[in-house]
Amino acid sequence: MPQKKAKIESAESFSSQVRNEVTSGFPKHEKEKLAILAGAFTAAGDKSVLGEEYLEKLSERVEGIPDIDPTSSSERRAFLRGVFISSGYCSDPSKNYRIELHANDINAVRIITDFLEREGLAPSCAERGGIYAIYLKNGDDVSDFLGIIGAPVSMMKFESVRAEREVIAKVNRTLNCDSGNTKRQAEAGAERNRLIRKLMESDKVKELSPDLREAAEINLSNPGASISELGALMNPPISKSGMNHRLKKLIDIANSLD
């Protein structure tokens, strides 16, 4: 990765937190150390990388050629940790959900994508100015990836923020639904009032039974009341279904005037 990318990434607090967490110590097993280096080298090659100081210190602690067994889950996960350390990015979960892993050639993309898929993730890929971006944008995949690369604290923070966002989204959906229902009820009430007023101004009003006439008058006198409230104003009070039945009769009669 170009050094400029490293400077941009350092301003991203959550991504930096993830990187700091996964570089806070060194693995005990030699194979995992080699796998981290293999992942970093596969993604970045000989380019400048993020986490360069950590990787240099790690390389001093191992001997041998960085190579891994793709069938080993622990080595595969260490490899992906190395990819993230050298060229990865995690967006602020309060804004969106996204992991990006950058690679310099298509062969590296194939290897990284294969390892991600072996871990049950569903990566996508895009090419930008000669650099490949392998990314995850599903919330579950992002959370799982953080766990896979050994960042449990960041994963818990991610889940906490995600849960908060989902609660807020649910509340907003409920409020929007309630607002929509209120609007529809107001429109229905206005139309009902228009039809009943039309009926009351016609000669047909003389044919209305006393209970229907009372219902019409109560309705027109209380335009903002609910059907339950209108029923309670009747003498004697009637149920919501009873009032609704009378209003429907009035509307049917009003519609027959056309």
Side-chain angles (χ1 to χ4, degrees):
M1 284 289 97
Q3 195 62 36
K4 184 177 180 181
K5 176 66 180 177
K7 290 180 180 178
I8 293 174
E9 193 279 341
S10 65
E12 301 292 339
S13 60
F14 189 75
S15 193
S16 297
Q17 176 185 318
V18 177
R19 181 166 285 96
N20 289 338
E21 184 175 0
V22 296
T23 58
S24 61
F26 298 105
K28 294 180 180 179
H29 301 291
E30 192 77 5
K31 288 185 177 180
E32 290 183 18
K33 295 176 184 177
L34 289 169
I36 291 174
L37 292 172
F41 181 80
T42 299
D46 59 356
K47 305 290 185 181
S48 297
V49 297
L50 300 163
E52 194 165 16
E53 183 178 350
Y54 172 85
L55 294 169
E56 287 178 354
K57 289 181 179 179
L58 179 62
S59 65
E60 295 172 358
R61 295 168 174 256
V62 300
E63 294 180 2
I65 300 172
D67 193 13
I68 68 165
D69 176 5
T71 65
S72 167
S73 179
S74 62
E75 292 182 43
R76 196 164 58 232
R77 291 181 172 213
F79 177 94
L80 291 172
R81 188 187 312 166
V83 174
F84 183 84
I85 290 171
S86 69
S87 66
Y89 165 80
C90 183
S91 65
D92 183 340
S94 65
K95 297 177 181 177
N96 58 24
Y97 307 145
R98 190 178 184 90
I99 292 284
E100 279 196 18
L101 304 171
H102 301 121
N104 291 305
D105 64 72
I106 194 63
N107 289 327
V109 171
R110 293 192 184 103
I111 295 171
I112 295 168
T113 298
D114 176 59
F115 282 19
L116 290 169
E117 290 175 345
R118 286 174 185 250
E119 292 296 331
L121 306 179
S124 299
C125 182
E127 191 268 335
R128 303 169 188 156
I131 299 296
Y132 295 92
I134 305 150
Y135 59 91
L136 305 167
K137 58 181 180 179
N138 174 277
D140 289 339
D141 281 355
V142 172
S143 180
D144 289 345
F145 180 84
L146 294 174
I148 285 167
I149 64 171
V153 175
S154 297
M155 181 181 73
M156 292 301 294
K157 180 177 179 181
F158 174 88
E159 287 295 351
S160 176
V161 173
R162 182 160 72 139
E164 183 178 350
R165 285 184 64 182
E166 290 177 355
V167 168
I168 292 172
K170 185 175 181 180
V171 170
N172 286 337
R173 285 194 298 270
T174 300
L175 291 175
N176 290 336
C177 181
D178 289 346
S179 176
N181 288 338
T182 299
K183 182 180 179 182
R184 285 190 291 272
Q185 288 170 2
E187 291 173 347
E191 177 63 9
R192 183 177 70 237
N193 290 342
R194 184 187 71 79
L195 290 170
I196 292 176
R197 185 174 291 105
K198 174 184 174 182
L199 171 60
M200 295 298 282
E201 293 173 352
S202 73
D203 292 338
K204 200 77 173 176
V205 68
K206 299 175 184 178
E207 301 176 18
L208 295 178
S209 62
D211 59 339
L212 287 181
R213 185 160 187 155
E214 181 189 12
E217 292 171 347
I218 290 291
N219 179 83
L220 292 176
S221 299
N222 301 274
S226 67
I227 294 177
S228 294
E229 290 169 338
L230 293 174
L233 293 171
M234 295 287 287
N235 186 24
I238 59 176
S239 66
K240 176 182 178 180
S241 61
M243 189 65 183
N244 191 52
H245 178 69
R246 295 185 187 187
L247 292 174
K248 280 188 174 181
K249 277 191 173 182
L250 290 167
I251 290 170
D252 289 341
I253 296 170
N255 283 325
S256 71
L257 297 174
D258 295 333

